[in-house]
Amino acid sequence: MKILYFTDGAGIDLQVIRESVLRIPEVLTSLRRGQEQARYVDLMQVMGLPDDEFRLVPTVLRTLLINLVQRGLHQRWVNRDHRADLVLRRINYRNYHEIKAEVLNFIRGKIEGREVRTENLHLLHFLSQVEITIIGPGYDEVELWLRKEVLTRSDMKVLIKDVIGSDPQLDWFWPQVQETFHSNQQTALI
């Protein structure tokens, strides 16, 4: 069973992540296509702004950039011949408790053999394994909850993968970016 989770994209606030995702051809293509929606702003230039200037970018433009980056990452995932049984987008939920309930209901329904809403009904994978792929950029509280949930599951194997980190052609740069992101998050919490 495969679940695809689109985060809130908060990682886009960090220049190291913005610069890193610009290395991905599908993200570049998505940004170029999205340039038609932002006629008066150069999206590539905005992606290259230092963090303090990027924080001043209007929310509408930041949301557009997150959507375009996620669209490119998703396209790369699909190009590798992946499909999902369930697609969750953080933006479609008011709080992360709603997403938690959706994921747990989906997994319980599969285990109990109930009819469960899926994106692709023909993709009913073995119930002994759930694969959750995170599409960022960056992580949020749902991703952290999913990682904790994995530790408590004894009835099935649950794998959580980052869409960039699990791509063999992109993992050469992503571990350093993740490390920088996590150290920035820990610094922010202190």
Side-chain angles (χ1 to χ4, degrees), residues 52-115:
D52 56 338
E53 291 179 34
F54 189 80
R55 287 186 198 100
L56 301 175
V57 171
T59 304
V60 173
L61 183 54
R62 288 167 51 146
T63 302
L64 174 64
L65 289 170
I66 289 167
N67 288 334
L68 293 172
V69 168
Q70 287 183 337
R71 189 177 302 156
L73 292 173
H74 179 252
Q75 186 60 52
R76 185 170 183 91
W77 188 76
V78 169
N79 289 347
R80 292 188 354 238
D81 203 27
H82 292 295
R83 297 187 191 267
D85 295 306
L86 178 66
V87 176
L88 298 171
R89 291 174 177 83
R90 177 69 168 103
I91 198 167
N92 293 341
Y93 298 88
R94 281 180 282 178
N95 60 50
Y96 91 101
H97 297 291
E98 292 178 7
I99 298 174
K100 284 172 51 173
E102 180 91 17
V103 170
L104 292 174
N105 183 47
F106 184 76
I107 291 172
R108 276 191 220 110
K110 288 286 199 172
I111 290 171
E112 296 168 3
R114 284 188 279 125
E115 277 294 314

Side-chain angles (χ1 to χ4, degrees), residues 127-139:
L127 293 178
S128 60
Q129 179 172 319
V130 175
E131 182 180 298
I132 301 170
T133 303
I134 309 291
I135 293 187
Y139 307 100

Side-chain angles (χ1 to χ4, degrees), residues 22-175:
L22 288 176
R23 298 177 180 183
I24 303 169
E26 290 84 355
V27 171
L28 283 173
T29 300
S30 180
L31 286 167
R32 286 186 185 120
R33 287 183 182 147
Q35 186 62 59
E36 296 168 9
Q37 298 172 25
R39 295 181 189 166
Y40 303 106
V41 177
D42 184 345
L43 295 180
M44 296 302 212
Q45 185 178 16
V46 174
M47 289 290 283
L49 290 174
D51 289 343
D52 56 338
E53 291 179 34
F54 189 80
R55 287 186 198 100
L56 301 175
V57 171
T59 304
V60 173
L61 183 54
R62 288 167 51 146
T63 302
L64 174 64
L65 289 170
I66 289 167
N67 288 334
L68 293 172
V69 168
Q70 287 183 337
R71 189 177 302 156
L73 292 173
H74 179 252
Q75 186 60 52
R76 185 170 183 91
W77 188 76
V78 169
N79 289 347
R80 292 188 354 238
D81 203 27
H82 292 295
R83 297 187 191 267
D85 295 306
L86 178 66
V87 176
L88 298 171
R89 291 174 177 83
R90 177 69 168 103
I91 198 167
N92 293 341
Y93 298 88
R94 281 180 282 178
N95 60 50
Y96 91 101
H97 297 291
E98 292 178 7
I99 298 174
K100 284 172 51 173
E102 180 91 17
V103 170
L104 292 174
N105 183 47
F106 184 76
I107 291 172
R108 276 191 220 110
K110 288 286 199 172
I111 290 171
E112 296 168 3
R114 284 188 279 125
E115 277 294 314
V116 180
R117 177 186 64 87
T118 62
E119 301 295 324
N120 297 302
L121 293 174
H122 63 282
L123 293 174
L124 299 178
H125 301 283
F126 295 110
L127 293 178
S128 60
Q129 179 172 319
V130 175
E131 182 180 298
I132 301 170
T133 303
I134 309 291
I135 293 187
Y139 307 100
D140 60 17
E141 69 273 11
V142 174
E143 186 266 345
L144 296 173
W145 169 77
L146 288 170
R147 292 195 184 278
K148 288 178 187 173
E149 182 68 18
V150 167
L151 298 174
T152 64
R153 302 298 313 188
S154 59
D155 53 348
M156 67 178 62
K157 183 177 179 180
V158 181
L159 302 170
I160 298 181
K161 300 174 2 180
D162 178 275
V163 71
I164 299 173
S166 64
D167 189 320
Q169 295 176 332
L170 300 177
D171 67 351
W172 60 272
F173 74 88
W174 195 243

